[in-house]
Amino acid sequence: MGHSSVRGEGTRESVPHARGARDGGRGDATGTDGGTPAGTEDGTDGGTAAGPDGGAPAGTDGGTAAGTGSGAGTGRGPGARGRGSRGPGAQGPGAQGGAKNGRRGPGRQPAGPAGRRAQRRANGKGGRRVFRWVASVLSLLILATAGAGYLYIEHLNGNIRSGGRSGGESGVQKAAPDASGNTPLNILLIGADGRNSKENLALGGAKDTVGDKPRADVQMLLHVSADRRSAAVVSIPRDARVDIPACKDPETGEKFAATNRIITESLQRGGPGCTLTTWEKLSGVYIDHWMMVDFAGVVRMADAVGGVPVCVKQNVWDRPTAQVKGGSGLKLPAGETYVKGEQALQWLRTRHAFFNDQGRAKAQHMYMNAMLRQLKEQNAFTDTGRIMDLAEAGTKALQVSEELGTVKALFDLAMELKDVPTNRITMTTLPTVEDHRNRAHLLPADKPARQIWKMLREDIPFDGNGGPAAASEPTAAPKPTAAPKPSGPAAAAPATLSVTVVNGTGGGGRYAVRGRAGGVAEALRGKGFTLATASQTAAPAEETVLAYPKSAGEQGRADALSVAKALGVPAGAVRATGDAQGMTLTVGADWREGDTYPVQDSPKAGDLPTEAENSNGADEGACMEVYKPYQW
C-alpha cells in the first residue's frame, strides 16, 4: 500500500554498532565487551549488569560471551570497568582463551550469517510496536523462574496496572474444553501510541497528537493451542476498516455507539477492552486476556533484554523524504545488527522503509522470533540477575486485563506458554485488500481472512511441524485450563420459539440471494419452529450467525442451540448479544443455498492461506527487503 495515510513520525537518527565491529571501550548492559555485541574482538573494558562477578554472564570471559576480550573482573552495573582479570565462574566456550588487549579468542566464529548463527548457539550455552508481545511473553517466562521473596513479589505486584477485560458485548463464547479438559488460550497484545508523557514524547512521533487518547497502532492475537504444543500470532494492520461495537470507557463511563472505522481507533472508544471486543466480533474467537505497552515500556524492556539480532538486505535509513514526511529514524547497514533500547523501538516502528504496514508487521515478527530463539539459546531463564531485571522492567512496562493483575497470575500464565517449541510458533498478518472507500485504508480479504479465523476457532495449528519428527524440543504435559461445564437446561419446544431470519448473503462484497431469508424461515417452520419469520431488512454478513439475548442466559443458549442443530449450523456460530431483541439467524455469504448449513471443509495443520505471511520461529535466515527511497 502507499503512504498516503502515514502520520508524521520522529526522525531521530541512531547509527547502530554492527555486529563484528572492532571497537574497544566501556562495556554495556548486553554482556558485551567494549560496547559491542558478543563476538567482537577489541574490547578491553568489561563489566555488565548481568554478570555474577561484575562482568559478563556466567560462563564468559573477558566481558564477552565467547572469550573474545579480557575485562571481566569485578565491575558492577552497566558499563562498570573491570580490572582485567578473569571473573570467577567463567566456564563458557572461550573461558580458557579470552585474550588480553583484545586478541582474538578461540570462541570467535567465522564471518557471515552462518558463523554468526553458530556463535549465537555457542554463546547460548555459557513500537510502540509489537515488541509488546515480546515484552509480555518474556516477562511471563522470566517471572516463571524467579526465586524472589515475598517482599519482592509484592513490589512487582505494585508495578502492575490493570483494567477490565472487555469493553462491550461480542456474544462470542469461550471454546468448549476438549476431552482432557483443556481449552486454547488467546491473548490480545496491544501497542499504544500515546504521547502524553515526557518520556514518550522524547521517543519521537507526531507532536500534533499530544493530549489525544492513545491509538492501538499495533494489535496482535497470540493463540496457544489447547495442548500447549503450538502457538500462532496474527497481526492486523492499524488502518484496516472493521466494525467496532458499542463500548464503554471503564474510567470515565463514557459510552460510544457502534461504528465502522479503522481498527486503531478502537482503543480510543473504551480502552483495551473495546479493542478486545472488536477482535472478538471480527474473528469469532474468544479472547481470554489483553496486554498493552507504550513507547517507554518498549525501550525499558529492550534495555533489560540486552539486544536482539535483526537483518536488512540493503542499508536502511527510515527518514523523511520529499514525498513522505516522518519516519522512525532507523539507520542500519546491510546485514545483521543487534538492536536494543531506542534503536529496537525504531526497528519496531519502521513502516516506510519496509513498504507498508504489512512489511512493518513482518519486521516485528522477525524481531519477536529472534528474541525467543536468543533467550532459549542463552539459557537466560536461569540467570537470576537478568531474571530480576526483566521482571522489574516487564511489570513496569505492561498494562494487563484485571485477571492478570498479580505476579501469581502472570506466573500461572507463564507456565502455559514457556515450553512451546520455536518451530511450532507461526506468525502472520491478516490478508487485506484496498478499501474502495479510501485508498489509504484496508479491508480484510474475504476468503483468506475467514480461513485464518476458522483455524483459530477450531484450534488448527498454523504450522505443519506437529508430527513425531518435530519433537526436537521438550513440551510440557497438557494442563487443564477449565473444567467441562455441566449440561444446561433442556431447550423449549420448537413451536414456542420465535426466530427472525435475516438475509446476509450480500456479505463479502457478493450480491445478495433474493428471497434467502424467506426460504430458510420456511425450512425452519417445516422442522417445527412454526414462529420463524423472515425479516424484510437485509444485513450483509460474511458468516452465518445465530444470536440470542444475553439476558436469556443458559436457557437462551439451549434454545438457540436447538435451532442451530435443526439447520446444521455449528455451535460456534451461536452467540449471546446484549442488544438482541430476540433470537435472530443471519444467513451469511457462506450459506447461499440449501435448507441446511453446508458442510465446511476444515483446514489441515499448516494450511495458512497462500496470501498470508508465514514466519516460523525457527527460521534464522529471515532478512527484510528495503524500499529503494530509504536505502543509503
Side-chain angles (χ1 to χ4, degrees), residues 317-560:
W317 188 6
D318 193 58
R319 64 199 186 280
T321 66
Q323 292 75 32
V324 182
K325 295 180 180 180
S328 71
L330 179 72
K331 191 173 186 181
L332 298 178
E336 186 181 79
T337 304
Y338 270 67
V339 295
K340 67 171 186 172
E342 186 173 349
Q343 197 172 64
L345 176 63
Q346 290 173 337
W347 174 270
L348 297 163
R349 292 179 58 206
T350 296
R351 80 168 181 171
H352 301 166
F354 297 147
F355 297 91
N356 50 31
D357 265 337
Q358 294 91 321
R360 175 168 59 185
K362 183 176 180 180
Q364 293 164 355
H365 296 161
M366 178 195 297
Y367 184 98
M368 292 156 55
N369 282 328
M371 171 175 280
L372 292 173
R373 288 195 305 271
Q374 180 168 289
L375 290 171
K376 284 182 178 254
E377 289 170 359
Q378 293 177 348
N379 293 325
F381 308 134
T382 63
D383 185 326
T384 303
R386 290 191 68 191
I387 287 169
M388 294 180 69
D389 286 345
L390 289 163
E392 185 76 31
T395 53
K396 285 182 177 178
L398 291 172
Q399 186 176 351
V400 298
S401 51
E402 56 194 358
E403 67 285 349
L404 292 180
T406 66
V407 170
K408 182 183 184 305
L410 293 174
F411 173 88
D412 292 341
L413 183 58
M415 292 296 96
E416 304 282 354
L417 303 177
K418 70 184 183 69
D419 289 322
V420 177
T422 54
N423 74 335
R424 302 297 314 278
I425 299 172
T426 306
M427 303 189 189
T428 191
T429 301
L430 192 74
T432 53
V433 296
E434 188 177 276
D435 186 352
H436 57 279
R437 294 186 190 174
N438 184 338
R439 295 184 61 190
H441 296 165
L442 303 166
L443 292 172
D446 180 23
K447 186 175 179 180
R450 283 193 281 119
Q451 183 171 337
I452 286 175
W453 299 141
K454 184 178 180 66
M455 291 179 76
L456 291 180
R457 288 195 300 268
E458 297 183 9
D459 199 21
I460 299 170
F462 281 14
D463 71 282
N465 301 324
S472 58
E473 299 185 53
T475 57
K479 300 178 182 178
T481 58
K485 294 182 179 179
S487 56
T496 66
L497 298 177
S498 296
V499 185
T500 300
V501 183
V502 177
N503 187 349
T505 54
R510 306 180 70 177
Y511 68 88
V513 179
R514 295 186 64 181
R516 190 74 185 111
V520 174
E522 184 177 353
L524 267 175
R525 290 193 293 270
K527 295 178 180 293
F529 296 88
T530 55
L531 298 180
T533 59
S535 172
Q536 300 305 307
T537 303
E542 294 185 11
E543 296 182 314
T544 297
V545 173
L546 179 57
Y548 68 93
K550 184 177 181 181
S551 59
E554 289 297 320
Q555 184 62 58
R557 181 165 179 79
D559 295 343

Side-chain angles (χ1 to χ4, degrees), residues 241-261:
R241 180 164 60 87
V242 300
D243 289 329
I244 300 176
C247 289
K248 180 179 179 180
D249 189 314
E251 295 183 2
T252 66
E254 184 178 2
K255 294 182 178 180
F256 299 88
T259 187
N260 183 260
R261 305 279 294 177

Side-chain angles (χ1 to χ4, degrees), residues 79-162:
R81 297 180 65 89
R83 291 201 294 264
S85 61
R86 182 178 304 162
Q91 15 177 313
Q96 302 302 318
K100 295 183 180 180
N101 301 319
R103 294 195 301 274
R104 180 175 300 185
R108 177 73 177 176
Q109 295 295 336
R116 287 192 291 269
R117 289 195 294 272
Q119 184 172 12
R120 285 200 305 276
R121 286 191 289 271
N123 294 348
K125 296 179 180 178
R128 96 184 180 211
R129 310 296 171 193
V130 85
F131 187 74
R132 304 56 172 100
W133 181 75
V134 178
S136 305
V137 175
L138 178 60
S139 300
L140 304 179
L141 298 181
I142 297 307
L143 289 170
T145 54
Y150 173 78
L151 292 179
Y152 186 67
I153 294 296
E154 287 302 295
H155 164 72
L156 293 177
N157 281 335
N159 289 342
I160 300 172
R161 296 163 294 154
S162 62

